[in-house]
Amino acid sequence: LPIWNFDGSSTGQSIGENSDIYIKPVACFKDPFRRGDNILVMCETLNDQGEPHPTNKRRSCAESMEKVADQHPWFGIEQEYTMFDYTARHPYGWPQNGYPGPQGPYYCGVGSDRVKGRKVVEAHYRACMYAGVKIAGSNAEVMPSQWEYQVGPCEGIEMGDHLWISRWILVRVAEEFNVVISFDPKPIEGDWNGAGLHTNVSTEVMREDGGYEHIIAAVEKMAD
């Protein structure tokens, strides 16, 4: 695929006097919305000199992954998010006046009195599978209207590409249901759970027999 460009001043990524931002294709996925021969393309952003744009964090990550490629790092991501109605202010399915019952019965729950937005979740899962995203599971979370899905295992930079495409697909799917997706770590104040992104990582030696000692060694290095 060719390198394209766009007006970065429209997205706050450049000034009007020199607004060209270039997008370099780095990963392709099947398009679950238009289907057929259409694709979704993950791109890196470059400035007018062809260098990584300050907002392009993928390039440095890819370079780091290349340095440790011989260790075959695997990543598994648990992405939490919260659904809001079309106003992006009121949690989807919550009472218009007041709050739902206390947390407890919602986690991995079932039933319309406990779970809100499952149609969005199922549609997102199917769309990711069609696209080729390595989605691996989903579940209702502790706070009502809060969900989680898992991506992985993916090796190296593939993790970031699959995660970002899965997020885009989620927001796009939710649009069809007039639902707004929030990745805010604390979308509702008070005694309501936040939403995070848990990262599971291992190297090849950690996954082999006797790998526990390599896990401990890595943890001790981080502690230093």
Side-chain angles (χ1 to χ4, degrees):
L1 296 175
I3 294 178
W4 289 6
N5 71 305
F6 68 95
D7 179 6
S9 65
S10 298
T11 57
Q13 291 176 282
S14 67
I15 57 177
E17 291 80 5
N18 188 11
S19 63
D20 277 346
I21 297 293
Y22 295 89
I23 49 178
K24 178 182 179 181
V26 292
C28 295
F29 298 82
K30 294 170 63 178
D31 186 339
F33 303 103
R34 296 181 178 88
R35 295 184 287 183
D37 293 332
N38 295 292
I39 57 176
L40 302 177
V41 183
M42 177 74 178
C43 297
E44 286 192 2
T45 50
L46 310 173
N47 63 21
D48 61 329
Q49 301 299 313
E51 300 169 343
H53 189 270
T55 60
N56 178 0
K57 308 302 181 183
R58 184 188 184 278
R59 178 64 64 86
S60 60
C61 181
E63 291 172 351
S64 296
M65 292 299 104
E66 289 175 5
K67 292 177 182 178
V68 296
D70 61 326
Q71 298 184 45
H72 301 286
W74 285 8
F75 297 88
I77 299 294
E78 304 170 36
Q79 175 69 72
E80 297 176 342
Y81 62 94
T82 308
M83 296 185 193
F84 284 80
D85 67 11
Y86 70 96
T87 67
R89 294 191 295 271
H90 188 81
Y92 181 73
W94 283 33
Q96 288 300 316
N97 298 297
Y99 295 88
Q103 296 179 151
Y106 310 111
Y107 182 70
C108 296
V110 64
S112 58
D113 58 334
R114 299 182 177 185
V115 173
K116 310 297 179 184
R118 192 182 295 278
K119 288 183 179 180
V120 176
V121 174
E122 292 295 326
H124 172 239
Y125 205 101
R126 290 183 173 89
C128 282
M129 290 180 66
Y130 180 93
V133 171
K134 292 183 178 180
I135 192 165
S138 66
N139 60 270
E141 269 296 337
V142 177
M143 185 177 75
S145 303
Q146 183 188 72
W147 289 81
E148 174 189 297
Y149 66 92
Q150 300 87 39
V151 176
C154 296
E155 185 166 328
I157 193 62
E158 179 185 53
M159 183 67 259
D161 295 341
H162 282 243
L163 176 62
W164 274 105
I165 290 294
S166 73
R167 288 171 171 169
W168 187 91
I169 292 175
L170 174 59
V171 174
R172 177 64 179 80
V173 164
E175 179 186 317
E176 299 289 335
F177 295 87
N178 213 22
V179 168
V180 175
I181 300 298
S182 171
F183 297 108
D184 192 308
K186 184 61 177 174
I188 306 296
E189 295 183 2
D191 190 23
W192 298 101
N193 267 40
L197 183 142
H198 304 130
T199 303
N200 305 280
V201 59
S202 67
T203 60
E204 188 170 39
V205 292
M206 293 178 184
R207 298 188 293 270
E208 295 175 343
D209 290 341
Y212 182 71
E213 62 183 63
H214 295 283
I215 294 173
I216 296 301
V219 172
E220 291 176 345
K221 285 184 179 180
M222 289 189 288
D224 295 336

